[in-house]
Amino acid sequence: MDLNIDKANKEFRKRGINEIVKLNELLKYHTSLRIGGPADLFCSPRNLEELIKTISIAQECHIPFWIMGNGTNLLVLDKGVRGLVIKLGEGFKNINFFDKTVQAGAGVNLFYLSKVAFNKGLTGLEFAINIPGTIGGAIINNAGFAGRYMADIVESVTFLTKEKRIKKLPLADLNFKYRECDLKRQLAIILEATLFLKEGDKEKISSLMEEYVKIRKNKQPIDELTAGSVFKNPPGFYAGELIEKAGAKGLSRGGARVSSKHANFIINKGGAKATDVLFLIREIEKRVEENFGIKLEREIEIWGEL
Ligand SMILES: Cc1cc2nc3c(=O)[nH]c(=O)nc-3n(C[C@H](O)[C@H](O)[C@H](O)COP(=O)(O)OP(=O)(O)OC[C@H]3O[C@@H](n4cnc5c(N)ncnc54)[C@H](O)[C@@H]3O)c2cc1C
């Protein structure tokens, strides 16, 4: 074992938090694609104090760390991740309503929150009904559907800086764009978000949610193992359409296949390796560039070693 990993593992024990850390945890158990090799260290801090201790250990032992949500936007490579992967635990899943405002922990499931908001007759989160990520991942990616985005409902975000200071920024300072926000570049760890919703009509909320579910079912491979859209839509185009026109729809490699329902999704048909998915990603990029002169930008993130 790498000396720094060994040292970090011992530090977890010394500081009395060894039960939140695992050695060589397979990340395929934590990603929606069900693909991914081991993380040297995998840690689930249950509260802020444990999170700060965890980051301190990583920094003192000079090991890189990553923060993951539900792993629904990730391709983790087959040899896994060298360093520490942090997945926020129970203490980051609180939901508190204050009239029409909701404070949600970074580990809360977005689709679950949309259901809770519906039960309270609050509108604004209908677009999130099928998005399987956490609040943290959804903020970092400015997740959205049908023209509605997290940026439309965020009031402020509280996060931990690299220096382990807690900061809170209002919407105006977060600089949300298509599938990104400034916190990503700052390597901030999102702790919670305050979202503003509006009073709504339960029937209207429910019918909008049903409509979104129907659109998804018709157009996307929602019953398959995927990591959502693989590529961002280039300005003025739909990535799925470009991929289809470039002849890559249905293409397969090993256990992975470009969905024949929606070409911007790659499916793990069973036993796919990250190398299979990566092959398809590169093949799509090559074909779209050759056919249309457009360089597709990846929406999914690739972590780890081949
Ligand atoms: C079936 C399916 C449908 C999908 N549909 C949509 C859709 O309609 N719209 C859409 O936008 N996306 C969609 N996605 C993609 C994905 O769900 C979103 O991007 C989601 O926001 C990712 O959240 P996550 O918790 O899974 O993040 P992860 O995939 O675990 O991580 C993604 C990024 O977020 C960062 N991150 C996670 N938590 C934190 C935190 N607390 N602090 C700082 N950084 C953090 C990670 O470091 C990483 O950079 C879909 C995915 C699937 C599998």
Side-chain angles (χ1 to χ4, degrees):
M1 190 195 297
D2 178 300
L3 278 181
N4 290 346
I5 298 293
D6 191 31
K7 189 173 160 204
N9 194 30
K10 285 181 182 146
E11 279 304 316
F12 277 100
R13 196 171 301 277
K14 261 196 214 161
R15 295 182 203 195
I17 51 168
N18 48 308
E19 69 214 59
I20 63 168
V21 73
K22 288 180 184 170
L23 279 172
N24 298 317
E25 171 78 352
L26 286 176
L27 293 176
K28 69 176 180 183
Y29 299 129
H30 302 277
T31 61
S32 55
L33 262 173
R34 296 286 177 269
I35 292 175
D40 289 335
L41 292 169
F42 181 86
C43 184
S44 300
R46 293 164 292 196
N47 50 47
L48 183 60
E49 196 193 335
E50 289 184 352
L51 175 63
I52 291 175
K53 277 189 189 172
T54 300
I55 295 165
S56 303
I57 293 172
Q59 290 174 338
E60 285 158 27
C61 297
H62 306 289
I63 56 173
F65 64 88
W66 288 263
I67 176 101
M68 94 186 293
N70 282 344
T72 62
N73 194 47
L74 302 179
L75 171 65
V76 179
L77 299 179
D78 300 317
K79 289 203 177 132
V81 175
R82 301 294 67 79
L84 169 70
V85 172
I86 301 169
K87 184 170 176 170
L88 301 179
E90 277 314 305
F92 298 91
K93 294 184 181 171
N94 296 327
I95 300 176
N96 290 302
F97 282 88
F98 305 95
D99 192 21
K100 284 168 237 101
T101 300
V102 58
Q103 223 169 49
V108 167
N109 282 323
L110 191 59
F111 67 88
Y112 173 71
L113 187 62
S114 73
K115 286 183 181 163
V116 178
F118 159 71
N119 283 333
K120 290 197 170 281
L122 294 172
T123 176
L125 264 167
E126 294 87 339
F127 76 90
I129 184 65
N130 278 119
I131 305 183
T134 58
I135 289 286
I139 298 241
I140 284 289
N141 284 345
N142 190 17
F145 182 73
R148 299 275 300 164
Y149 301 91
M150 289 305 289
D152 298 328
I153 51 169
V154 167
E155 189 174 286
S156 63
V157 175
T158 306
F159 58 94
L160 199 64
T161 66
K162 296 198 288 290
E163 297 77 26
K164 302 185 287 287
R165 278 199 291 271
I166 295 175
K167 269 179 106 174
K168 184 174 181 173
L169 285 180
L171 172 69
D173 294 341
L174 292 166
N175 203 10
F176 278 112
K177 295 193 190 112
Y178 173 48
R179 295 291 182 267
E180 61 174 84
C181 92
D182 266 6
L183 294 177
K184 192 160 199 166
R185 270 182 292 279
Q186 295 178 31
L187 303 176
I189 299 184
I190 296 172
L191 302 173
E192 67 173 28
T194 304
L195 312 176
F196 59 89
L197 303 171
K198 290 186 186 140
E199 227 162 81
D201 176 81
K202 266 191 157 186
E203 262 179 43
K204 280 192 190 152
I205 298 171
S206 152
S207 76
L208 191 55
M209 283 178 161
E210 276 168 26
E211 191 188 318
Y212 289 159
V213 172
K214 212 158 142 193
I215 297 175
R216 294 263 200 191
K217 272 198 178 149
N218 289 336
K219 293 194 173 165
Q220 299 180 0
I222 56 165
D223 299 324
E224 308 270 7
L225 301 178
T226 74
S229 298
V230 178
F231 297 100
K232 295 182 184 176
N233 289 322
F237 296 93
Y238 288 109
E241 236 172 74
L242 293 172
I243 298 166
E244 189 171 345
K245 285 186 183 152
K249 196 175 191 177
L251 215 63
S252 71
R253 171 86 168 193
R257 197 168 80 204
V258 180
S259 166
S260 24
K261 202 162 186 183
H262 193 310
N264 198 16
F265 286 72
I266 294 179
I267 299 168
N268 176 3
K269 295 298 295 171
K273 299 264 173 236
T275 44
D276 299 331
V277 178
L278 201 55
F279 175 89
L280 293 176
I281 289 175
R282 288 179 176 150
E283 186 60 27
I284 288 171
E285 288 168 343
K286 193 175 103 202
R287 290 193 189 193
V288 168
E289 189 164 9
E290 275 170 10
N291 281 272
F292 308 106
I294 294 173
K295 271 190 195 299
L296 286 175
E297 200 183 328
R298 294 174 189 171
E299 183 167 325
I300 64 167
E301 264 179 60
I302 300 182
W303 286 13
E305 296 180 344
L306 261 185

